[in-house]
Amino acid sequence: MQPNSSTSDAAPSCPKCKGIGYFNRYVEVGEPGFGEIFPCPWCKPQAAMPRLQKIARLSESELARRFEDIVTEGRPGTARMLAACRQFLEQPQHI
């Protein structure tokens, strides 16, 4: 069921949730997460952030890091790793 567009603050063009603003995981009955819905981390990143931070178990200083902080000059392996990470985040598969 899709919410009325006037009541939804999700981006109608979100490719992940199709503008619903939330998603659920397909898990077996009784498994953790069954029946739960979660804010879409692509179009509602601020709503999803507390849950993602809890899962990640990162410190405040680790959460403040950005890809732009990673030095790649003279480090071809690091540059390849960073490019692979960016590609994965743009096209996540099997998450």
Coordinates of all heavy atoms in Angstrom, one line a residue:
M1 N 0.8 -1.2 0.0 CA 0.0 0.0 0.0 C 0.9 1.2 0.0 O 1.8 1.4 0.8 CB -0.9 0.0 1.2 CG -1.8 1.1 1.3 SD -3.0 0.9 2.6 CE -2.3 1.9 3.9
Q2 N 0.6 2.1 -0.9 CA 1.4 3.3 -1.0 C 0.7 4.5 -0.3 O -0.5 4.7 -0.5 CB 1.7 3.7 -2.5 CG 3.0 4.3 -2.7 CD 3.4 4.2 -4.2 OE1 2.7 3.6 -5.0 NE2 4.5 4.8 -4.5
P3 N 1.4 5.3 0.5 CA 0.8 6.4 1.2 C 0.4 7.5 0.2 O 0.9 7.6 -0.8 CB 1.8 6.8 2.2 CG 3.1 6.5 1.5 CD 2.8 5.2 0.8
N4 N -0.6 8.3 0.7 CA -1.0 9.4 -0.1 C 0.2 10.4 -0.2 O 0.9 10.6 0.7 CB -2.1 10.1 0.7 CG -2.7 11.4 0.0 OD1 -1.9 12.1 -0.6 ND2 -3.9 11.6 0.2
S5 N 0.4 10.9 -1.4 CA 1.6 11.7 -1.6 C 1.6 13.0 -0.8 O 2.7 13.5 -0.5 CB 1.7 12.1 -3.1 OG 0.6 12.9 -3.5
S6 N 0.5 13.4 -0.3 CA 0.4 14.6 0.5 C 0.9 14.3 2.0 O 1.2 15.2 2.7 CB -1.0 15.2 0.5 OG -1.9 14.4 1.1
T7 N 0.8 13.0 2.4 CA 1.2 12.7 3.7 C 2.6 12.1 3.8 O 3.2 11.9 4.8 CB 0.3 11.7 4.3 OG1 0.3 10.5 3.5 CG2 -1.1 12.2 4.4
S8 N 3.2 11.8 2.7 CA 4.5 11.2 2.6 C 5.6 12.3 2.4 O 5.4 13.1 1.5 CB 4.6 10.1 1.5 OG 5.9 9.7 1.4
D9 N 6.7 12.2 3.2 CA 7.8 13.2 3.0 C 8.9 12.5 2.2 O 10.0 13.0 2.1 CB 8.2 13.8 4.3 CG 8.7 12.8 5.3 OD1 8.5 11.6 5.0 OD2 9.2 13.2 6.3
A10 N 8.7 11.3 1.7 CA 9.7 10.6 0.9 C 9.8 11.2 -0.5 O 8.8 11.7 -1.0 CB 9.4 9.1 0.8
A11 N 10.9 11.1 -1.1 CA 11.1 11.5 -2.5 C 10.3 10.6 -3.4 O 10.6 9.4 -3.4 CB 12.6 11.6 -2.8
P12 N 9.4 11.0 -4.2 CA 8.6 10.1 -5.1 C 9.5 9.4 -6.1 O 9.1 8.4 -6.6 CB 7.6 11.0 -5.7 CG 7.9 12.4 -5.4 CD 9.0 12.4 -4.3
S13 N 10.6 9.9 -6.4 CA 11.5 9.3 -7.4 C 12.6 8.4 -6.8 O 13.5 7.9 -7.5 CB 12.2 10.4 -8.2 OG 13.0 11.2 -7.4
C14 N 12.5 8.1 -5.5 CA 13.5 7.2 -4.9 C 13.5 5.8 -5.5 O 12.5 5.2 -5.5 CB 13.2 7.1 -3.4 SG 14.4 6.0 -2.5
P15 N 14.6 5.4 -6.1 CA 14.7 4.1 -6.8 C 14.7 2.9 -5.8 O 14.4 1.8 -6.3 CB 16.0 4.2 -7.5 CG 16.9 5.1 -6.7 CD 15.9 6.1 -6.1
K16 N 14.9 3.2 -4.6 CA 14.9 2.0 -3.6 C 13.6 1.7 -3.0 O 13.2 0.6 -3.0 CB 15.9 2.3 -2.5 CG 17.3 2.6 -3.0 CD 17.9 1.4 -3.7 CE 19.3 1.7 -4.2 NZ 19.9 0.6 -4.9
C17 N 12.9 2.7 -2.6 CA 11.6 2.5 -1.9 C 10.4 2.9 -2.8 O 9.2 2.8 -2.3 CB 11.5 3.2 -0.6 SG 11.4 5.0 -0.7
K18 N 10.7 3.4 -4.0 CA 9.6 3.9 -4.9 C 8.7 4.9 -4.3 O 7.5 5.0 -4.6 CB 8.7 2.7 -5.3 CG 9.5 1.5 -5.8 CD 10.2 1.8 -7.1 CE 10.8 0.5 -7.8 NZ 12.2 0.4 -7.6
G19 N 9.3 5.8 -3.4 CA 8.6 6.9 -2.9 C 7.8 6.6 -1.6 O 7.1 7.5 -1.1
I20 N 7.8 5.4 -1.2 CA 7.0 5.0 0.0 C 7.7 5.6 1.3 O 7.1 6.0 2.2 CB 6.9 3.5 0.2 CG1 6.0 3.0 -1.0 CG2 6.3 3.1 1.5 CD1 6.0 1.5 -1.1
G21 N 9.0 5.6 1.3 CA 9.8 6.2 2.4 C 10.2 5.2 3.4 O 11.0 5.4 4.4
Y22 N 9.7 3.9 3.3 CA 10.0 2.9 4.3 C 10.2 1.6 3.5 O 9.7 1.4 2.4 CB 8.9 2.7 5.3 CG 8.8 3.9 6.2 CD1 7.9 5.0 5.8 CD2 9.5 4.0 7.3 CE1 7.8 6.1 6.6 CE2 9.4 5.2 8.1 CZ 8.6 6.2 7.7 OH 8.5 7.3 8.5
F23 N 10.8 0.6 4.1 CA 11.0 -0.7 3.5 C 11.0 -1.7 4.6 O 11.1 -1.4 5.8 CB 12.2 -0.8 2.6 CG 13.5 -0.8 3.4 CD1 14.1 -1.9 3.8 CD2 14.1 0.4 3.7 CE1 15.3 -1.9 4.5 CE2 15.3 0.5 4.4 CZ 15.9 -0.6 4.8
N24 N 10.8 -3.0 4.3 CA 10.9 -4.1 5.2 C 11.9 -5.1 4.7 O 12.2 -5.1 3.5 CB 9.5 -4.7 5.5 CG 8.9 -5.4 4.3 OD1 9.3 -5.1 3.2 ND2 8.1 -6.3 4.6
R25 N 12.3 -6.0 5.6 CA 13.2 -7.1 5.2 C 12.3 -8.3 5.0 O 11.4 -8.5 5.8 CB 14.2 -7.3 6.2 CG 15.3 -6.2 6.3 CD 16.4 -6.7 7.2 NE 16.5 -5.6 8.2 CZ 16.8 -5.9 9.5 NH1 16.9 -7.1 9.9 NH2 16.8 -4.9 10.3
Y26 N 12.7 -9.1 4.0 CA 12.0 -10.4 3.8 C 12.7 -11.4 4.6 O 13.8 -12.0 4.2 CB 12.0 -10.7 2.3 CG 11.2 -9.7 1.6 CD1 11.8 -8.7 0.9 CD2 9.8 -9.7 1.6 CE1 11.1 -7.7 0.2 CE2 9.1 -8.7 0.9 CZ 9.7 -7.7 0.2 OH 9.0 -6.8 -0.4
V27 N 12.2 -11.7 5.8 CA 12.8 -12.7 6.7 C 11.7 -13.7 7.2 O 10.6 -13.4 7.1 CB 13.5 -12.0 7.9 CG1 14.7 -11.1 7.5 CG2 12.5 -11.2 8.8
E28 N 12.2 -14.8 7.6 CA 11.2 -15.8 8.1 C 10.5 -15.4 9.4 O 11.1 -14.6 10.1 CB 12.0 -17.1 8.3 CG 12.7 -17.7 7.1 CD 11.7 -18.3 6.1 OE1 10.6 -18.8 6.5 OE2 11.9 -18.1 4.9
V29 N 9.3 -15.9 9.5 CA 8.6 -15.7 10.8 C 9.4 -16.0 12.0 O 10.0 -17.1 12.0 CB 7.3 -16.5 10.8 CG1 6.5 -16.3 12.1 CG2 6.4 -16.1 9.6
G30 N 9.5 -15.2 12.9 CA 10.2 -15.4 14.2 C 11.7 -14.9 14.1 O 12.3 -14.8 15.1
E31 N 12.2 -14.6 12.9 CA 13.5 -14.1 12.8 C 13.6 -12.6 13.2 O 12.6 -11.9 13.1 CB 14.1 -14.2 11.4 CG 14.2 -15.6 10.9 CD 15.4 -16.3 11.6 OE1 16.4 -15.7 11.8 OE2 15.3 -17.5 11.9
P32 N 14.7 -12.1 13.7 CA 14.8 -10.7 14.0 C 14.5 -9.8 12.8 O 15.0 -10.1 11.7 CB 16.3 -10.5 14.4 CG 16.7 -11.9 14.8 CD 16.0 -12.8 14.0
G33 N 13.7 -8.8 13.0 CA 13.3 -7.9 12.0 C 12.0 -8.3 11.3 O 11.5 -7.5 10.4
F34 N 11.5 -9.5 11.6 CA 10.2 -9.9 10.9 C 9.1 -8.9 11.3 O 8.9 -8.6 12.5 CB 9.8 -11.3 11.3 CG 8.5 -11.7 10.8 CD1 8.4 -12.1 9.4 CD2 7.3 -11.6 11.5 CE1 7.2 -12.4 8.9 CE2 6.1 -12.0 11.0 CZ 6.0 -12.4 9.7
G35 N 8.4 -8.4 10.3 CA 7.3 -7.5 10.5 C 7.6 -6.1 10.8 O 6.8 -5.2 11.0
E36 N 8.9 -5.8 10.8 CA 9.3 -4.4 11.1 C 9.5 -3.6 9.8 O 9.9 -4.2 8.8 CB 10.7 -4.4 11.8 CG 10.6 -4.9 13.2 CD 12.0 -4.8 13.9 OE1 12.6 -3.7 13.9 OE2 12.5 -5.8 14.4
I37 N 9.2 -2.3 9.8 CA 9.5 -1.5 8.7 C 10.6 -0.5 9.2 O 10.7 -0.2 10.3 CB 8.3 -0.7 8.2 CG1 7.7 0.2 9.2 CG2 7.3 -1.7 7.6 CD1 6.6 1.1 8.6
F38 N 11.4 0.0 8.2 CA 12.5 0.8 8.5 C 12.5 2.0 7.5 O 12.1 1.9 6.4 CB 13.8 0.1 8.3 CG 13.9 -1.2 9.1 CD1 13.6 -2.4 8.6 CD2 14.3 -1.1 10.4 CE1 13.7 -3.6 9.3 CE2 14.4 -2.3 11.2 CZ 14.1 -3.5 10.7
P39 N 12.9 3.2 8.0 CA 13.0 4.4 7.1 C 14.0 4.1 6.0 O 15.0 3.4 6.2 CB 13.5 5.5 8.0 CG 13.3 5.0 9.4 CD 13.3 3.5 9.4
C40 N 13.6 4.5 4.8 CA 14.5 4.3 3.7 C 15.8 5.1 3.9 O 15.8 6.4 4.0 CB 13.8 4.8 2.4 SG 14.9 4.6 0.9
P41 N 17.0 4.5 3.9 CA 18.2 5.2 4.1 C 18.6 6.1 2.9 O 19.5 6.9 3.0 CB 19.2 4.1 4.4 CG 18.7 2.9 3.8 CD 17.2 3.1 3.9
W42 N 18.0 5.9 1.8 CA 18.3 6.7 0.6 C 17.6 8.0 0.5 O 18.1 9.0 0.2 CB 18.1 5.9 -0.7 CG 19.1 4.8 -0.8 CD1 20.3 4.9 -1.4 CD2 19.0 3.5 -0.3 NE1 21.0 3.7 -1.3 CE2 20.2 2.8 -0.7 CE3 18.1 2.8 0.4 CZ2 20.5 1.5 -0.3 CZ3 18.3 1.4 0.7 CH2 19.5 0.8 0.4
C43 N 16.3 8.0 0.8 CA 15.5 9.2 0.7 C 15.2 9.8 2.1 O 14.7 10.9 2.2 CB 14.2 9.0 -0.1 SG 13.0 8.0 0.6
K44 N 15.4 9.0 3.2 CA 15.2 9.5 4.5 C 16.4 9.2 5.4 O 16.3 8.5 6.4 CB 13.9 8.8 5.2 CG 12.6 9.2 4.5 CD 11.5 8.5 5.3 CE 10.4 9.5 5.4 NZ 9.3 9.0 6.3
P45 N 17.6 9.7 5.0 CA 18.8 9.3 5.7 C 18.8 9.7 7.1 O 19.3 9.0 8.0 CB 19.9 9.9 4.9 CG 19.3 11.1 4.2 CD 17.8 10.6 3.9
Q46 N 18.2 10.8 7.5 CA 18.3 11.3 8.9 C 17.4 10.4 9.8 O 17.8 10.1 10.9 CB 17.9 12.8 9.0 CG 18.8 13.7 8.3 CD 20.3 13.6 8.7 OE1 20.5 13.2 9.9 NE2 21.2 13.8 7.8
A47 N 16.3 9.9 9.2 CA 15.4 9.0 10.0 C 16.1 7.7 10.2 O 15.9 7.0 11.2 CB 14.1 8.9 9.3
A48 N 16.9 7.2 9.2 CA 17.5 5.9 9.3 C 18.8 5.9 10.1 O 19.2 4.9 10.6 CB 17.8 5.4 7.9
M49 N 19.4 7.1 10.3 CA 20.7 7.2 10.9 C 20.8 6.6 12.3 O 21.8 5.8 12.5 CB 21.1 8.7 10.9 CG 22.6 8.8 11.1 SD 23.6 7.9 9.9 CE 23.4 9.0 8.5
P50 N 19.9 6.8 13.3 CA 20.1 6.2 14.6 C 20.2 4.7 14.5 O 21.0 4.1 15.2 CB 18.9 6.7 15.4 CG 18.4 7.9 14.7 CD 18.8 7.7 13.3
R51 N 19.4 4.1 13.7 CA 19.4 2.6 13.6 C 20.7 2.1 13.0 O 21.3 1.2 13.4 CB 18.2 2.1 12.8 CG 18.1 0.6 12.6 CD 16.9 0.2 11.8 NE 17.1 -1.1 11.3 CZ 17.8 -1.4 10.2 NH1 18.3 -0.5 9.5 NH2 18.0 -2.7 9.9
L52 N 21.1 2.8 11.9 CA 22.3 2.4 11.2 C 23.6 2.6 12.1 O 24.5 1.8 12.1 CB 22.5 3.2 9.9 CG 21.4 3.0 8.9 CD1 21.6 3.9 7.7 CD2 21.4 1.5 8.4
Q53 N 23.6 3.7 12.9 CA 24.7 3.9 13.9 C 24.7 2.8 14.9 O 25.8 2.4 15.3 CB 24.5 5.3 14.5 CG 24.8 6.4 13.5 CD 24.6 7.8 14.1 OE1 24.0 7.9 15.2 NE2 25.1 8.8 13.4
K54 N 23.6 2.4 15.4 CA 23.5 1.3 16.4 C 24.1 0.0 15.8 O 24.9 -0.7 16.5 CB 22.1 1.1 16.9 CG 22.0 0.1 18.0 CD 20.5 0.0 18.4 CE 20.4 -1.1 19.5 NZ 19.0 -1.4 19.9
I55 N 23.7 -0.3 14.6 CA 24.2 -1.5 14.0 C 25.7 -1.4 13.8 O 26.4 -2.4 14.0 CB 23.5 -1.7 12.6 CG1 22.0 -2.1 12.9 CG2 24.1 -2.8 11.8 CD1 21.2 -2.1 11.6
A56 N 26.2 -0.3 13.3 CA 27.6 -0.1 12.9 C 28.5 -0.1 14.2 O 29.7 -0.5 14.0 CB 27.8 1.2 12.2
R57 N 28.0 0.3 15.3 CA 28.8 0.4 16.5 C 30.1 1.2 16.3 O 31.2 0.8 16.8 CB 29.2 -1.0 17.0 CG 28.0 -1.8 17.5 CD 28.3 -3.1 18.0 NE 27.1 -3.8 18.4 CZ 27.1 -5.0 19.0 NH1 28.3 -5.6 19.2 NH2 26.0 -5.6 19.3
L58 N 30.0 2.3 15.7 CA 31.1 3.2 15.4 C 31.1 4.3 16.4 O 30.1 4.8 16.9 CB 31.1 3.8 14.0 CG 31.1 2.8 12.9 CD1 30.9 3.5 11.5 CD2 32.4 2.0 12.8
S59 N 32.4 4.8 16.7 CA 32.5 5.9 17.7 C 32.1 7.2 17.0 O 32.0 7.2 15.7 CB 33.9 6.0 18.2 OG 34.8 6.4 17.1
E60 N 31.9 8.3 17.7 CA 31.6 9.6 17.1 C 32.7 10.0 16.1 O 32.3 10.6 15.1 CB 31.4 10.6 18.2 CG 30.2 10.4 19.1 CD 28.9 10.5 18.3 OE1 28.8 11.4 17.4 OE2 28.0 9.7 18.5
S61 N 33.9 9.8 16.5 CA 35.0 10.3 15.5 C 35.0 9.4 14.3 O 35.2 9.9 13.2 CB 36.4 10.2 16.2 OG 36.7 8.9 16.5
E62 N 34.6 8.1 14.4 CA 34.5 7.3 13.2 C 33.3 7.7 12.3 O 33.4 7.6 11.1 CB 34.4 5.8 13.6 CG 35.7 5.3 14.2 CD 35.5 3.9 14.9 OE1 34.4 3.7 15.5 OE2 36.5 3.1 14.9
L63 N 32.2 8.0 13.0 CA 31.1 8.5 12.2 C 31.3 9.8 11.5 O 30.6 10.0 10.5 CB 29.9 8.6 13.2 CG 29.3 7.3 13.7 CD1 28.3 7.6 14.9 CD2 28.6 6.5 12.6
A64 N 32.2 10.6 12.0 CA 32.5 11.9 11.3 C 33.4 11.7 10.1 O 33.5 12.7 9.3 CB 33.2 12.8 12.3
R65 N 34.0 10.6 9.9 CA 34.9 10.4 8.7 C 34.0 10.3 7.4 O 32.9 9.9 7.4 CB 35.6 9.0 8.8 CG 36.5 8.9 10.0 CD 37.7 9.6 9.8 NE 38.5 9.5 11.0 CZ 39.7 10.1 11.2 NH1 40.1 10.9 10.3 NH2 40.3 9.9 12.3
R66 N 34.7 10.8 6.3 CA 34.0 10.8 5.0 C 35.1 10.3 4.0 O 36.3 10.4 4.3 CB 33.6 12.3 4.6 CG 32.6 12.9 5.6 CD 31.3 12.2 5.4 NE 30.3 12.7 6.4 CZ 29.9 12.0 7.5 NH1 30.4 10.9 7.8 NH2 29.0 12.5 8.3
F67 N 34.6 9.9 2.9 CA 35.5 9.4 1.8 C 36.5 10.4 1.5 O 37.6 10.1 1.1 CB 34.7 8.9 0.6 CG 34.0 7.6 0.7 CD1 32.9 7.4 0.1 CD2 34.6 6.6 1.4 CE1 32.2 6.1 0.1 CE2 34.0 5.3 1.5 CZ 32.8 5.1 0.9
E68 N 36.0 11.7 1.5 CA 36.9 12.8 1.1 C 38.1 12.9 2.1 O 39.1 13.5 1.7 CB 36.2 14.1 1.1 CG 35.1 14.2 0.0 CD 33.8 13.4 0.3 OE1 33.5 13.1 1.5 OE2 33.1 12.9 -0.6
D69 N 38.0 12.3 3.3 CA 39.1 12.4 4.2 C 40.2 11.4 3.9 O 41.3 11.5 4.5 CB 38.6 12.1 5.7 CG 37.5 13.0 6.1 OD1 37.5 14.2 5.7 OD2 36.7 12.7 7.0
I70 N 40.0 10.5 3.1 CA 40.9 9.4 2.8 C 42.0 9.9 1.7 O 41.6 10.4 0.7 CB 40.3 8.1 2.2 CG1 39.3 7.6 3.3 CG2 41.3 7.1 1.9 CD1 38.4 6.5 2.8
V71 N 43.2 9.8 2.1 CA 44.3 10.3 1.2 C 44.6 9.2 0.2 O 44.9 8.1 0.6 CB 45.6 10.6 2.0 CG1 46.7 11.0 1.1 CG2 45.3 11.7 3.0
T72 N 44.5 9.5 -1.1 CA 44.7 8.5 -2.1 C 45.9 8.9 -3.0 O 46.4 8.0 -3.7 CB 43.5 8.4 -3.0 OG1 43.2 9.7 -3.6 CG2 42.3 7.9 -2.3
E73 N 46.4 10.1 -2.8 CA 47.6 10.5 -3.6 C 48.8 9.7 -3.3 O 49.2 9.5 -2.1 CB 47.9 12.0 -3.4 CG 49.0 12.6 -4.3 CD 49.1 14.0 -4.1 OE1 48.1 14.7 -3.8 OE2 50.3 14.5 -4.2
G74 N 49.3 9.1 -4.4 CA 50.5 8.2 -4.2 C 50.2 6.8 -3.6 O 51.0 6.1 -3.2
R75 N 48.9 6.5 -3.5 CA 48.4 5.3 -2.9 C 47.4 4.6 -3.8 O 46.2 4.7 -3.6 CB 47.8 5.5 -1.5 CG 48.8 6.3 -0.6 CD 48.1 6.8 0.7 NE 47.7 5.7 1.5 CZ 46.9 5.8 2.6 NH1 46.4 6.9 2.9 NH2 46.7 4.8 3.4
P76 N 47.9 3.9 -4.9 CA 47.0 3.4 -5.9 C 46.1 2.3 -5.3 O 44.9 2.2 -5.7 CB 48.0 2.8 -6.9 CG 49.3 2.6 -6.3 CD 49.3 3.7 -5.2
G77 N 46.5 1.5 -4.3 CA 45.7 0.5 -3.7 C 44.5 1.2 -3.0 O 43.4 0.7 -3.0
T78 N 44.8 2.2 -2.3 CA 43.8 3.0 -1.5 C 42.8 3.6 -2.5 O 41.6 3.6 -2.3 CB 44.4 4.0 -0.6 OG1 45.3 3.4 0.3 CG2 43.4 4.8 0.2
A79 N 43.3 4.1 -3.6 CA 42.4 4.7 -4.6 C 41.5 3.7 -5.2 O 40.3 4.0 -5.4 CB 43.3 5.4 -5.7
R80 N 42.0 2.5 -5.5 CA 41.2 1.4 -6.0 C 40.1 1.0 -5.0 O 39.0 0.8 -5.3 CB 42.0 0.2 -6.5 CG 42.8 0.5 -7.8 CD 43.4 -0.8 -8.3 NE 44.2 -1.5 -7.4 CZ 45.5 -1.3 -7.2 NH1 46.1 -0.3 -7.9 NH2 46.2 -1.9 -6.3
M81 N 40.5 0.9 -3.7 CA 39.6 0.5 -2.7 C 38.5 1.5 -2.5 O 37.3 1.2 -2.4 CB 40.4 0.4 -1.3 CG 39.5 0.0 -0.1 SD 38.8 1.4 0.8 CE 40.2 2.5 1.1
L82 N 38.8 2.8 -2.6 CA 37.9 3.9 -2.5 C 36.9 3.8 -3.6 O 35.7 4.0 -3.5 CB 38.6 5.2 -2.4 CG 37.7 6.4 -2.0 CD1 37.0 6.2 -0.7 CD2 38.6 7.7 -2.0
A83 N 37.4 3.6 -4.8 CA 36.6 3.6 -6.0 C 35.6 2.4 -5.9 O 34.4 2.5 -6.3 CB 37.4 3.4 -7.3
A84 N 36.1 1.2 -5.4 CA 35.2 0.1 -5.3 C 34.1 0.3 -4.2 O 33.0 -0.1 -4.4 CB 36.1 -1.1 -4.9
C85 N 34.5 1.0 -3.1 CA 33.5 1.4 -2.1 C 32.4 2.3 -2.7 O 31.2 2.1 -2.4 CB 34.2 2.0 -0.9 SG 35.2 0.9 0.1
R86 N 32.8 3.3 -3.4 CA 31.9 4.2 -4.0 C 30.9 3.5 -5.0 O 29.7 3.7 -5.0 CB 32.6 5.4 -4.7 CG 33.2 6.4 -3.8 CD 33.9 7.4 -4.6 NE 34.8 8.2 -3.7 CZ 34.4 9.5 -3.3 NH1 33.3 10.0 -3.6 NH2 35.2 10.1 -2.5
Q87 N 31.5 2.6 -5.8 CA 30.7 1.9 -6.7 C 29.7 1.0 -6.0 O 28.5 0.9 -6.4 CB 31.6 1.0 -7.6 CG 30.7 0.2 -8.7 CD 31.6 -0.6 -9.5 OE1 32.8 -0.8 -9.3 NE2 31.0 -1.3 -10.5
F88 N 30.1 0.3 -4.9 CA 29.2 -0.5 -4.2 C 28.1 0.3 -3.6 O 26.9 -0.2 -3.6 CB 30.0 -1.3 -3.1 CG 29.1 -2.1 -2.2 CD1 28.6 -3.3 -2.6 CD2 28.7 -1.6 -0.9 CE1 27.8 -4.0 -1.8 CE2 27.9 -2.4 -0.1 CZ 27.4 -3.6 -0.6
L89 N 28.4 1.4 -3.0 CA 27.4 2.3 -2.4 C 26.4 2.8 -3.4 O 25.2 3.0 -3.1 CB 28.0 3.4 -1.6 CG 28.7 3.0 -0.3 CD1 29.4 4.1 0.3 CD2 27.7 2.3 0.6
E90 N 26.8 3.0 -4.7 CA 25.9 3.5 -5.7 C 25.1 2.3 -6.2 O 23.9 2.6 -6.7 CB 26.7 4.1 -6.8 CG 27.4 5.4 -6.4 CD 28.3 6.0 -7.5 OE1 28.4 5.4 -8.6 OE2 29.0 6.9 -7.2
Q91 N 25.6 1.1 -6.2 CA 24.9 0.0 -6.7 C 25.0 -1.2 -5.8 O 25.6 -2.2 -6.1 CB 25.4 -0.4 -8.1 CG 25.3 0.7 -9.1 CD 26.0 0.3 -10.4 OE1 26.7 -0.6 -10.5 NE2 25.6 1.1 -11.5
P92 N 24.4 -1.1 -4.6 CA 24.5 -2.2 -3.6 C 23.8 -3.5 -4.1 O 22.7 -3.4 -4.6 CB 23.9 -1.6 -2.4 CG 23.0 -0.6 -2.8 CD 23.6 0.0 -4.1
Q93 N 24.5 -4.6 -3.9 CA 23.9 -5.8 -4.3 C 24.0 -6.8 -3.1 O 25.1 -6.9 -2.5 CB 24.5 -6.4 -5.5 CG 24.3 -5.5 -6.7 CD 24.9 -6.1 -8.0 OE1 25.2 -7.3 -8.0 NE2 25.0 -5.3 -9.0
H94 N 23.0 -7.6 -2.9 CA 23.0 -8.6 -1.9 C 23.3 -8.1 -0.5 O 23.9 -8.7 0.3 CB 24.1 -9.7 -2.2 CG 23.9 -10.2 -3.6 ND1 22.9 -11.0 -4.0 CD2 24.7 -10.1 -4.7 CE1 23.0 -11.3 -5.3 NE2 24.1 -10.7 -5.7
I95 N 22.7 -7.0 -0.2 CA 22.8 -6.5 1.2 C 21.6 -7.0 2.0 O 20.5 -6.9 1.6 CB 22.8 -4.9 1.2 CG1 24.0 -4.4 0.6 CG2 22.6 -4.4 2.7 CD1 24.1 -2.8 0.6

